[in-house]
């Protein structure tokens, strides 16, 4: 059986890599390869889309998870495989909530992309057990608690201590306590240095909440 694939990724090299997989697969046909999540829904309305390889973080004002949710609400039979290089662990939960069928990390994967595509089209849901481990100063993400990671994500997105406290429904003293632990574990000398490093590492991505 032949399946039609829509590739949605704003980075040229990954998009070309996915195109090559589809072209040489034998049982997949490329419908289109586009760089905008905003346009993905329009392609689905035209038909000839069985599977979408959907990047999560893109440069236009619609991220892949928002696009996936909208598509799944109208076209539940279209399979969506989310792909990302960003290690933000919250993406896994958000992708499930959006109705994504499978999830694949570009740099760290348990199975080849083509295998995940085949199993997804066969009705399986392929998900990594966890996000990739990311080094952060003298520590890494596996050594941080869930609450510390939550504080770190908001810090990396530019939130003030007061805004983090309000977002997490805790006191500002609690946030200061967690920040102190984060600085101690990572070895950074300031919240600014910690925030910049966390943002650059992809632990938190602005605009995806």
């Amino acid at each position: 059986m032949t399946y039609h694939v829509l590739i949605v990724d704003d980075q040229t090299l990954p998009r070309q890599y996915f195109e090559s997989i589809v072209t040489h697969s034998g049982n997949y046909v490329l419908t289109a390869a586009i760089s905008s999540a905003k346009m993905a829904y329009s392609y689905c309305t035209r038909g000839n889309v069985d599977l979408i390889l959907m990047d999560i973080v893109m440069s236009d004002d619609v991220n892949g998870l928002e696009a996936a949710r909208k598509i799944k609400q109208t076209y539940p039979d279209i399979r969506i495989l989310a792909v990302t290089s960003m290690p933000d662990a919250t993406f896994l939960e958000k992708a499930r909530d959006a109705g994504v069928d499978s999830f694949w990390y570009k740099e760290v994967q348990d199975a080849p992309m083509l295998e995940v595509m085949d199993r997804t089209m066969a009705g399986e849901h392929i998900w990594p057990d966890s996000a990739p481990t990311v080094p952060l100063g003298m520590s890494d993400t596996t050594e941080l608690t869930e609450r510390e990671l939550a504080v770190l994500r908001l810090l990396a997105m530019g939130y003030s201590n007061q805004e983090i406290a309000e977002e997490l429904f805790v006191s500002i003293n609690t946030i200061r306590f967690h920040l102190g632990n984060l600085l101690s574990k990572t070895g950074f000398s300031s919240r600014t240095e910690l925030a910049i490093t966390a943002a650059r590492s992809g632990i938190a991505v602005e605009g995806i909440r």
Side-chain angles (χ1 to χ4, degrees):
M1 186 172 182
T2 299
Y3 298 110
H4 294 82
V5 181
L6 173 64
I7 298 171
V8 187
D9 197 313
D10 66 345
Q11 294 184 320
T12 301
L13 289 179
R15 194 167 62 246
Q16 290 176 342
Y17 171 64
F18 297 147
E19 287 181 42
S20 177
I21 290 176
V22 171
T23 302
H24 295 93
S25 65
N27 58 330
Y28 293 96
V29 175
L30 182 64
T31 295
I34 61 177
S35 59
S36 168
K38 186 186 298 184
M39 296 301 298
Y41 185 86
S42 296
Y43 277 87
C44 294
T45 64
R46 304 174 189 174
N48 265 1
V49 177
D50 301 303
L51 172 66
I52 302 175
L53 306 183
M54 180 77 79
D55 190 20
I56 294 178
V57 181
M58 282 177 275
S59 56
D60 60 7
D61 58 359
V62 176
N63 68 66
L65 298 183
E66 292 172 348
R69 184 185 302 278
K70 182 178 180 181
I71 291 167
K72 276 294 191 178
Q73 287 173 347
T74 308
Y75 304 102
D77 292 335
I78 292 179
R79 306 290 169 82
I80 300 179
L81 169 53
V83 297
T84 187
S85 59
M86 298 296 180
D88 190 329
T90 64
F91 283 0
L92 292 171
E93 179 181 351
K94 292 169 184 171
R96 289 183 190 276
D97 185 63
V100 165
D101 296 281
S102 297
F103 197 106
W104 192 81
Y105 282 109
K106 294 179 182 178
E107 276 77 22
V108 182
Q109 63 281 138
D110 295 325
M113 167 63 84
L114 186 57
E115 177 184 331
V116 176
M117 291 166 60
D118 288 341
R119 292 171 63 184
T120 299
M121 295 311 299
E124 291 187 60
H125 298 284
I126 313 302
W127 292 82
D129 293 330
S130 60
T133 299
V134 180
L136 192 64
M138 300 190 307
S139 185
D140 62 53
T141 49
T142 63
E143 299 176 60
L144 306 181
T145 67
E146 282 301 314
R147 181 57 76 172
E148 288 169 350
L149 283 170
V151 170
L152 183 60
R153 291 185 188 106
L154 294 173
L155 181 69
M157 293 168 65
Y159 282 49
S160 66
N161 287 4
Q162 183 62 50
E163 289 169 334
I164 296 173
E166 292 172 358
E167 185 75 16
L168 299 180
F169 302 103
V170 296
S171 71
I172 193 167
N173 285 335
T174 299
I175 299 305
R176 288 172 180 150
F177 171 77
H178 289 308
L179 283 173
N181 285 341
L182 284 166
L183 291 171
S184 176
K185 288 181 178 181
T186 61
F188 292 116
S189 59
S190 70
R191 71 189 304 281
T192 301
E193 186 180 15
L194 175 62
I196 291 173
T197 304
R200 287 175 176 171
S201 71
I203 291 173
V205 179
E206 186 175 0
I208 300 184
R209 299 282 305 284

